[in-house]
Each structure stands twice: as C-alpha cells, then as structure tokens.
Amino acid sequence: MPPSAKDGPILRVQGVRKSFDGREILSGIDLEVMPGETMVIMGGSGSGKSTMLRCMIGSLPTTAGSIEVFGQNICGLNEEALNKVRLKFGILFQSGALFNSMTVAENVALPLQEHTRLSQEIIDIQVKIKLEQVQLREAADLYPAQISGGMKKRAGLARAMALDPQLLFCDEPSAGLDPITSAQIDRLLLDLTKKLGIACVVVTHEMDSAFAIADRMAMLDKGRMLAVEPKAWFERVRDVPDAEVKLLSEDEQIIHQFLRGAAEGPLSERQSESDWEQDILGARPRVPGVRSVEASRIVPKTEDESVLTRLRRILRA
Ligand SMILES: Nc1ncnc2c1ncn2[C@@H]1O[C@H](COP(=O)(O)OP(=O)(O)O)[C@@H](O)[C@H]1O
Ligand SMILES: [Mg+2]
C-alpha cells in the first residue's frame, strides 16, 4: 500500500540550519510534505534552494535541526544507512546527470542492476515501461550526446523513477529548456506523479513551472521560509493589484514582487541598498534579489524603472 495522508508527512523538516564557513545560509527551516502532494520550493538565486535540497537528500550535513524522510531522521546517519534511505526516493538532477558512456536504456537500468536482484530479462521489461512512461522508448539505444535537453530530462526522470519511489526530489526541472519543452516536462511530471501517487519536492525559480505543478508552495528568501501555503494562496498574493500592495505584510510584499517578477518592490530596494555600488560598477556578480528572478511569461518587465531608481540613488549619494 502506498503511504497516504493518514500516515503523516512523508518528509518533515524541522528547525534546519546550515552554515558555510560561519555564514548562515538556512536559518531554521520548517517544512512538511504529505504523501502524494507536490511541494514547490521557490526563491531567487542564492536564496538557499539547492542547499536545502542537498540537506534533504542527505548529501550535505545540516548544522542543526532534523530531517525525517519516511519517518526516519537522516541527520547524522552514516553513508551506509543513508544509502538505504536513498533507495526509497528518486532524484532528478538539474542536468539529468546521465552517464555519457551509457545508452538511455542502460542509464535507466543502472539502479535496478545495482539495487535489486531482478533478472536482466525483467530489468529490460522494467526499463521499457519506464521509458514508455516518459515517452522515450524510441531513444532507448541512443547516447546522452545524441539527444536533446528535454529528452535528457525525461531520461533522468525515468532513471529517478526506476525503483518506484514514493518521493521524488527535483532541482529546477525546466531549467535550460525552451518554454514549450519546459511546459512539456512540467506536464509529464504532473501526470506521472499524480497517476502514481508520488510525492514530489521541486525546487525552482521559474514561476510558470511552479504554478503549473504545485499543490502547495514554499517561498524561501535569504535562508528563511516566508510562507508555506496552498497554491491558491500564492495566486491570491500574486494577483493583488499594485495599488493595494501596501496593505500586505512585509513578507507578503516580498512574495508579491517575486511572483510578478516586478522590478520595483522590497526585494530590489533591499538589493540596491546593499549592493548598488558593486552592481553599477560591476565589481561582483549580482547575487540575491529580483534581477536574478525569471519574470513570469505573462507579467511585463519594467527594467527601465529599476535602472532609473538606481541612477537616482547614485545622484543622491
Ligand atoms: N559549498 C558551499 N560553500 C560555501 N557557500 C555555499 C556553498 N553552497 C552554497 N553556498 C552559498 O549559499 C548560498 C545559497 O546557495 P544555493 O543554495 O545554491 O542557492 P539557490 O539554489 O537558491 O540559488 C549562496 O550564497 C552560495 O554562495
Ligand atoms: Mg540552485
């Protein structure tokens, strides 16, 4: 029986902190994911999404807090125990992370060969089923270098699902793809996880993708969770007219600006206050802030205004 809501969360993150060289990147994160639900973790680049994902899959030790996967706290587990837990979830890496020297079919077969005692004949059938599920059977004998970016993602997804996980982690599933291919990957992810009842934790900065696949969403900003709410809540915040934004709380205003990919708002003020000089002089690459956020395909960008704001600031200085 696959786990259901009455079994409690499939993933429970409590008070997780993570520092690198004394610099805190995650400042006490709480998050619960229920069986079968898709949780999208959003945030601008540098907000800590990948760090959080790496903590959740046990590839990065946390500084404090606990992460329970299928009821088991993975913090402090040794590599052998971790590998046992890892068999129960799938991971779709940003680039697909396929082995270039193996065909698509061989890549998908790998987890089955390493972690099951199935005969090669059964494995071949399983691989065909997985490739069919991601609509990639015709590419079974091709090498990663011979297929497109979207096909690599699908092959990565087939491999992540090889051991029939109940939980799937995805890092930026549509990154680097054109809008149509990325919408197709979103649709595939949604179809598969819903059909098979798989819980899915997706990290992304792409708003269209986030709204397409999420049941609930979590907004990460500078290592802090601003909100964990159903998708409809985020839609309501996004759709608040600019004239009424001042009625929102401070965190909601940040979320509003992020969701609309707007150039004006608390995110950019914060950025220009701390970074404007380096920004203008190009002394270092931009890190967090709205400029790193990909604007939604439906909201027009207002780049010029933010340049103006910055210029005014320089003139005042
Ligand atoms: N291994 C590391 N060592 C030091 N700093 C790191 C390391 N990994 C990430 N960081 C820092 O943590 C912050 C968050 O990074 P990351 O989690 O990759 O953000 P995101 O995925 O949201 O873009 C960044 O400032 C980044 O430079
Ligand atoms: Mg990242």
Side-chain angles (χ1 to χ4, degrees), residues 133-150:
Q133 284 175 336
V134 299
Q135 298 140 30
L136 213 59
R137 264 187 76 179
E138 77 283 4
D141 298 323
L142 297 180
Y143 287 87
Q146 298 173 301
I147 61 176
S148 69

Side-chain angles (χ1 to χ4, degrees), residues 21-247:
D21 314 318
R23 192 172 140 236
E24 193 161 75
I25 303 299
L26 300 177
S27 318
I29 300 288
D30 296 316
L31 184 72
E32 288 189 351
V33 178
M34 301 305 285
E37 83 167 331
T38 298
M39 171 67 75
V40 174
I41 301 171
M42 304 176 291
S45 52
S47 59
K49 303 183 298 297
S50 294
T51 301
M52 189 172 164
L53 193 81
R54 290 172 63 207
C55 289
M56 291 189 294
I57 62 176
S59 71
L60 203 58
T62 55
T63 313
S66 68
I67 298 172
E68 286 172 34
V69 190
F70 304 100
Q72 184 177 7
N73 187 0
I74 62 163
C75 297
L77 287 188
N78 64 26
E79 202 56 24
E80 193 189 339
L82 263 177
N83 280 335
K84 272 198 190 134
V85 181
R86 286 195 187 113
L87 290 181
K88 297 201 244 173
F89 58 75
I91 307 168
L92 175 59
F93 292 101
Q94 205 159 327
S95 58
L98 301 172
F99 292 102
N100 287 325
S101 60
M102 294 179 177
T103 65
V104 166
E106 286 165 353
N107 265 285
V108 178
L110 200 60
L112 293 159
Q113 283 160 343
E114 286 195 342
H115 302 296
T116 72
R117 294 175 186 194
L118 298 174
S119 68
Q120 191 57 46
E121 203 180 351
I122 302 289
I123 289 178
D124 288 344
I125 295 171
Q126 287 285 343
V127 168
K128 280 195 181 123
I129 294 172
K130 300 298 167 198
L131 289 179
E132 181 67 35
Q133 284 175 336
V134 299
Q135 298 140 30
L136 213 59
R137 264 187 76 179
E138 77 283 4
D141 298 323
L142 297 180
Y143 287 87
Q146 298 173 301
I147 61 176
S148 69
M151 289 162 91
K152 279 186 200 150
K153 287 268 160 95
R154 282 192 266 159
L157 183 56
R159 195 181 58 187
M161 310 237 304
L163 296 173
D164 296 319
Q166 290 303 313
L167 175 61
L168 183 66
F169 291 100
C170 308
D171 195 1
E172 305 273 2
S174 45
L177 301 177
D178 65 78
I180 293 171
T181 310
S182 104
Q184 285 167 345
I185 295 289
D186 289 342
R187 169 62 61 86
L188 178 66
L189 201 55
L190 190 62
D191 278 356
L192 269 184
T193 50
K194 291 304 167 205
K195 217 180 276 170
L196 302 172
I198 300 172
C200 196
V201 180
V202 179
V203 155
T204 188
H205 68 282
E206 293 185 50
M207 288 307 99
D208 289 311
S209 179
F211 280 104
I213 59 182
D215 294 313
R216 289 197 297 148
M217 299 170 129
M219 173 83 196
L220 196 59
D221 179 58
K222 292 179 122 187
R224 196 166 64 89
M225 237 1 146
L226 299 187
V228 182
E229 296 285 349
K231 172 163 68 181
W233 183 90
F234 280 91
E235 284 169 339
R236 284 199 298 277
V237 173
R238 179 193 61 190
D239 296 341
V240 168
D242 286 336
E244 288 167 28
V245 165
K246 289 279 176 267
L247 301 173

